[in-house]
Amino acid sequence: MENRPLEYDYTVAKLFMMNAIFVGTVGMLVGVIMAWQMAYPEFNSFLGEGLAEYTNFSRLRVLHTDSVIYGFVLSAVWSSWYFVGQRVLKVSMAESKTLMIIGKLHFWIYFAASAVIVISLLLGITTSKEYAEFEWPLDLGITVIWLLWGAGIAGLVGMRREKSLYISIWYYIATFLAVAMLHLLNNLEVPTMFATSPAGETMIGAWYHSVSMYAGTNDALVQWWFGHNAVAFVLTTPIVAVIYYFLPKESGQAIYSYKLSLLSFWGLMFVYLWAGGHHVLYTTVPDWVQTMGSIFSVVLILPSWGSAINMLLTMKGEWQQVASSPLIKFMILGSTFYMFSTLEGPIQAIKSVNAIAHFTDWIVGHVHDGALGWVGFTLVAAIYHMAPRFFKREIYSKSLMATQFWVQTLGIVLYFTSMWIAGITQGMMWRAHDEFGNLAYSFIDTVTVLHPYYTIRAVGGTLYLVGFLMFAYNIYKTTSARRVEESELQNASPMGA
Amino acid sequence: MFHWLEKNPFAFALGVFITIAFAGLVEIIPNFVQSARPLVGTKPYSTLELAGRQIYIKNSCNACHSQMIRPFKSETDRYGHYSLSGEYAYDRPFLWGSKRTGPDLMRVGNYRTTDWHENHMKDPAGVVPGSIMPPYGWLYDNMTDIDTAYAEQLTVESVFAVPYTFNKDKGTDKAQLIPMRDGSTSIVLIGDNIADARSLALEEAKLIVADMKDENIKEAVANGQIPEIVAIIAYMNSLK
């Protein structure tokens, strides 16, 4: 008994993985529908005029961003946490009944809240703050979900047999702390039911309605401090945690440099939070905040590239794996896209560039080369690594994986190139004056000119979705694949033909 | 040098938290001290306008339209005077937006009419050929939620001291005792109770529909109902 190797318990990790694939498909499908709606507005009522209220672009927009960020990304991140956490801390979830209960509650409360969120967003119940659209009852639910995850982290860390915390754990802890802070401060609001219904009187209006604690410029400042750092601590730090574990595991190579890991971690922690000001350049936010936002955004290249270079150099001497393993391909292209979008972002945060880029599709393009390339690919790779271990079977098809990789890569390239051109074109047309000093174009000229780029984007998005469906199918078939593994493999995931 | 920290999860977490909280403190707090004051002439929203604003939010109009005019010649030529902080003092939440798929609306009340909005919301491409905005037909069928708008007014009046005047105080000393913080004399009336609030909103709605053509809408308002399109136009017209 004493010398038996630890059996990890993947119950919760599996639940989150399945949810990630399901919600990811829905969220990306909604994105594709919206892309076609922008190219061909008649798609706004694709389920008929009667349902147009629930299928038009503006209602779907919120559903798309939230389901991809909090549905797909967070689920996949949590799946990875329940896998990685046990393994690097050398404890099994099964060792503690309490931890198992917390883990399962974490999943099921999250699942139930997600269902309510989808319905409420379609009904138009929103606070309008980007990526924080939920009304106060849901905000409280999210707080509970988050604290359950925190309790899970504290529990595993407390029980650990490994003295030193592996770098992925640093990033998971940072994610937990930062999002808790951001969520609580940005969502401070006064529910109208408390202010208007003194004891004994009937309540006025919608019970779930609330008013932001902050007004105007202050509200914007807090929101973009949140919005920018949600990118940092939902779409960056947990993904770095994922790649720091899965890349060395899958490739059998040690992380290139411990010092670089250390430097880029603390650098990222310190610098990221300052950069939110770049979302509000040329607005009524004080000048010095804008300038700080701009400068720190450029400085942010250093810690970001630190991590990315550390990843790429981990493959030193083993580059042939990139050619032979589609799983490694996903991770290496993911890290490359991380470098790419952490260079693009700072460029857009330079004041003079921002003057053209802000409010245009170039920003949308930037978000998506990060989200589709870096986040999407890294998480897909993580699931491909975990699935054979969850189900003790080899991945169903290696060639399907390779096809998926190329289809999605083509999709991303079409997406960001079309959005660059669209954004810069629009930005330049908005500011163009003729020789008499009058505006050269009316607004509608700047809309109609974008039609071809919107079509290309829609094609790119569709390709990415098609690739994701291949992924879902591949994982589904893996659960019942022919070849069963006797024991967990140390590295390189086994793949079928 | 950091090895000890990696073995002390609590110290580690504390260190991380201090590192990330620092920037927020430095950047956000100083602004809160001074920037929430309304500019002279800025008024809080009337009940109908606020209800319209809630409809604007409900339909995520801010996903495609900004309300933030930057200080560039091209923008002031197109949309009017650039935005000033004090103009947003009563905006909870702010609606600056982050994408301009359609034009900025911060001062749309200066150059579009009730009539124009009425046609445009029903058939955007018919009014602006080439527009990719979808039609918002349900605004003509759904009725405005005046109650929630009134609840919001009561909330901001009592919690954030937004200078609203109750209907019963009109013309009395008490009305003068509630000064507008911007020093102006214009007073925004709100109802004493929900029934009063509904009738004030209806009065305002009648002024809007006088400029509208749709017979069904006119009839609804004559019967004491307020379709959403009326409220959202009231809000659009207040943006100046």
Side-chain angles (χ1 to χ4, degrees):
Chain A
M1 188 75 186
E2 297 90 60
N3 287 326
R4 219 177 59 181
L6 208 50
E7 278 282 329
Y8 299 113
D9 189 309
Y10 297 134
T11 317
V12 185
K14 270 192 233 173
L15 287 171
F16 274 113
M17 184 198 81
M18 290 187 279
N19 195 56
I21 296 174
F22 169 67
V23 187
T25 309
V26 175
M28 289 174 203
L29 175 67
V30 173
V32 168
I33 291 170
M34 291 164 61
W36 287 106
Q37 285 175 334
M38 282 185 82
Y40 299 94
E42 44 290 12
F43 283 124
N44 276 287
S45 50
F46 69 97
L47 292 182
E49 287 303 325
L51 290 174
E53 178 173 359
Y54 310 105
T55 61
N56 89 94
F57 181 91
S58 64
R59 290 277 174 93
L60 294 187
R61 147 81 207 240
V62 186
L63 191 62
H64 169 60
T65 49
D66 287 339
S67 59
V68 171
I69 300 171
Y70 303 123
F72 167 61
V73 176
L74 273 188
S75 289
V77 162
W78 279 330
S79 177
S80 79
W81 157 256
Y82 284 103
F83 179 85
V84 174
Q86 298 183 68
R87 300 173 67 100
V88 304
L89 296 167
K90 297 279 178 288
V91 259
S92 169
M93 290 278 288
E95 288 177 67
S96 158
K97 267 203 173 133
T98 323
L99 264 186
M100 279 304 286
I101 292 171
I102 290 175
K104 284 179 185 167
L105 276 178
H106 178 201
F107 177 78
W108 288 110
I109 296 178
Y110 165 78
F111 189 79
S114 307
V116 180
I117 282 173
V118 170
I119 296 165
S120 74
L121 292 180
L122 284 176
L123 291 176
I125 298 170
T126 158
T127 62
S128 91
K129 293 189 176 186
E130 279 177 69
Y131 326 120
E133 288 93 350
F134 322 112
E135 273 292 4
W136 66 271
L138 285 166
D139 284 336
L140 291 178
I142 291 165
T143 309
V144 170
I145 294 163
W146 204 257
L147 290 177
L148 283 169
W149 182 40
I153 298 179
L156 271 190
V157 169
M159 286 162 57
R160 74 192 188 282
R161 297 203 177 81
E162 184 71 52
K163 260 197 175 163
S164 204
L165 301 181
Y166 181 66
I167 178 156
S168 292
I169 302 290
W170 312 354
Y171 279 100
Y172 284 118
I173 292 176
T175 302
F176 168 75
L177 290 171
V179 174
M181 171 181 82
L182 298 167
H183 172 73
L184 290 176
L185 290 181
N186 188 42
N187 287 300
L188 287 181
E189 48 216 0
V190 185
T192 51
M193 69 179 283
F194 296 131
T196 60
S197 63
E201 284 180 41
T202 37
M203 192 175 57
I204 300 170
W207 63 274
Y208 49 77
H209 185 66
S210 67
V211 188
S212 175
M213 283 281 280
Y214 320 107
T217 305
N218 288 341
D219 198 38
L221 194 57
V222 176
Q223 159 59 26
W224 284 115
W225 167 78
F226 163 88
H228 174 73
N229 297 310
V231 175
F233 291 97
V234 177
L235 300 173
T236 305
T237 51
I239 317 301
V240 176
V242 164
I243 200 139
Y244 262 114
Y245 178 81
F246 289 99
L247 184 62
K249 265 288 173 186
E250 184 66 30
S251 64
Q253 292 276 91
I255 290 288
Y256 172 71
S257 158
Y258 169 74
K259 273 188 191 151
L260 197 51
S261 317
L262 200 64
L263 259 160
S264 51
F265 175 79
W266 289 102
L268 202 71
M269 291 302 111
F270 180 72
V271 177
Y272 224 125
L273 274 287
W274 294 89
H278 69 224
H279 289 261
V280 286
L281 297 181
Y282 299 107
T283 66
T284 59
V285 162
D287 234 23
W288 69 271
V289 175
Q290 299 183 26
T291 307
M292 295 290 254
S294 203
I295 292 171
F296 274 100
S297 299
V298 176
V299 178
L300 200 47
I301 295 175
L302 295 172
S304 310
W305 279 47
S307 304
I309 288 171
N310 214 0
M311 288 308 119
L312 295 179
L313 288 181
T314 295
M315 295 310 292
K316 209 170 122 186
E318 280 290 323
W319 285 100
Q320 80 285 354
Q321 288 193 25
V322 180
S324 62
S325 163
L327 214 170
I328 299 277
K329 274 197 188 75
F330 275 109
M331 291 201 255
I332 292 304
L333 198 71
S335 299
T336 312
F337 268 111
Y338 183 45
M339 290 183 86
F340 175 51
S341 48
T342 51
L343 179 64
E344 189 188 14
I347 289 172
Q348 292 178 330
I350 295 168
K351 272 191 144 188
S352 50
V353 180
N354 189 272
I356 295 176
H358 192 55
F359 290 134
T360 73
D361 285 295
W362 187 12
I363 308 292
V364 180
H366 166 62
V367 171
H368 282 83
D369 52 52
L372 302 175
W374 154 240
V375 180
F377 271 17
T378 307
L379 293 178
V380 161
I383 292 176
Y384 270 135
H385 180 92
M386 293 188 295
R389 287 150 179 91
F390 287 168
F391 303 107
K392 294 215 163 62
R393 284 164 203 273
E394 69 179 12
I395 293 169
Y396 170 67
S397 166
K398 184 181 178 183
S399 62
L400 189 59
M401 236 171 132
T403 314
Q404 176 203 343
F405 175 83
W406 289 111
V407 168
Q408 290 194 308
T409 303
L410 179 63
I412 301 173
V413 172
L414 289 178
Y415 197 113
F416 75 75
T417 47
S418 60
M419 289 298 96
W420 277 4
I421 303 173
I424 294 172
T425 303
Q426 198 177 33
M428 297 302 276
M429 284 176 81
W430 282 343
R431 60 161 47 198
H433 285 89
D434 62 16
E435 67 264 43
F436 307 109
N438 300 315
L439 291 169
Y441 303 99
S442 67
F443 193 88
I444 192 65
D445 296 336
T446 70
V447 175
T448 47
V449 76
L450 301 182
H451 175 74
Y453 309 112
Y454 283 165
T455 309
I456 296 170
R457 183 254 301 266
V459 172
T462 307
L463 285 176
Y464 196 87
L465 175 68
V466 167
F468 199 80
L469 291 172
M470 292 178 185
F471 166 66
Y473 178 74
N474 211 349
I475 295 293
Y476 166 70
K477 292 296 273 186
T478 299
T479 60
S480 58
R482 286 148 301 175
R483 230 186 88 196
V484 180
E485 302 295 335
E486 289 300 315
S487 60
E488 284 197 8
L489 286 112
Q490 288 308 300
N491 51 33
S493 304
M495 294 174 199
Chain B
M1 146 185 133
F2 276 92
H3 286 294
W4 68 272
L5 208 51
E6 288 156 30
K7 291 177 182 138
N8 287 280
F10 185 75
F12 173 82
L14 194 69
V16 168
F17 189 74
I18 292 169
T19 315
I20 55 184
F22 184 65
L25 291 176
V26 174
E27 285 191 346
I28 293 175
I29 290 177
N31 197 52
F32 269 60
V33 179
Q34 35 152 299
S35 87
R37 289 166 191 243
L39 193 75
V40 172
T42 306
K43 283 194 297 182
Y45 298 101
S46 73
T47 316
L48 188 65
E49 288 163 4
L50 196 62
R53 193 173 196 268
Q54 289 176 352
I55 295 165
Y56 185 92
I57 290 171
K58 181 179 169 191
N59 289 292
S60 291
C61 302
N62 51 300
C64 292
H65 295 281
S66 57
Q67 290 191 31
M68 167 47 69
I69 304 170
R70 297 178 291 174
F72 305 148
K73 183 177 186 302
S74 57
E75 301 217 348
T76 51
D77 280 3
R78 184 170 272 129
Y79 305 118
H81 196 287
Y82 57 83
S83 306
L84 299 168
S85 187
E87 296 180 277
Y88 297 109
Y90 300 121
D91 280 13
R92 291 175 194 267
F94 80 111
L95 290 174
W96 294 359
S98 60
K99 176 81 204 300
R100 250 180 219 160
T101 304
D104 188 276
L105 299 180
M106 168 130 193
R107 304 189 195 286
V108 69
N110 286 335
Y111 50 88
R112 296 293 188 211
T113 59
T114 297
D115 191 33
W116 189 90
H117 288 302
E118 182 189 2
N119 295 321
H120 182 250
M121 239 82 84
K122 197 177 276 175
D123 179 17
V127 175
V128 184
S131 171
I132 58 170
M133 177 169 143
Y136 282 76
W138 57 91
L139 297 180
Y140 297 77
D141 302 324
N142 295 351
M143 292 303 148
T144 305
D145 180 2
I146 295 295
D147 296 15
T148 303
Y150 180 59
E152 183 169 329
Q153 287 181 314
L154 290 181
T155 307
V156 295
E157 196 271 341
S158 62
V159 181
F160 303 112
V162 169
Y164 281 121
T165 304
F166 287 95
N167 206 15
K168 60 177 186 273
D169 301 326
K170 189 165 46 175
T172 67
D173 282 354
K174 209 172 167 199
Q176 272 93 55
L177 285 176
I178 305 169
M180 296 289 282
R181 280 191 296 181
D182 61 10
S184 74
T185 51
S186 66
I187 286 185
V188 178
L189 290 178
I190 58 172
D192 301 335
N193 50 50
I194 186 66
D196 197 18
R198 287 182 195 141
S199 68
L200 271 177
L202 193 63
E203 290 305 307
E204 209 182 330
K206 283 177 182 158
L207 297 175
I208 304 279
V209 283
D211 295 331
M212 292 177 73
K213 303 238 161 43
D214 191 316
E215 287 304 326
N216 294 331
I217 303 293
K218 282 175 177 289
E219 205 185 306
V221 173
N223 292 332
Q225 288 180 305
I226 307 174
E228 289 190 326
I229 183 71
V230 179
I232 202 167
I233 291 176
Y235 174 59
M236 292 284 126
N237 289 346
S238 79
L239 296 174
K240 285 179 178 175

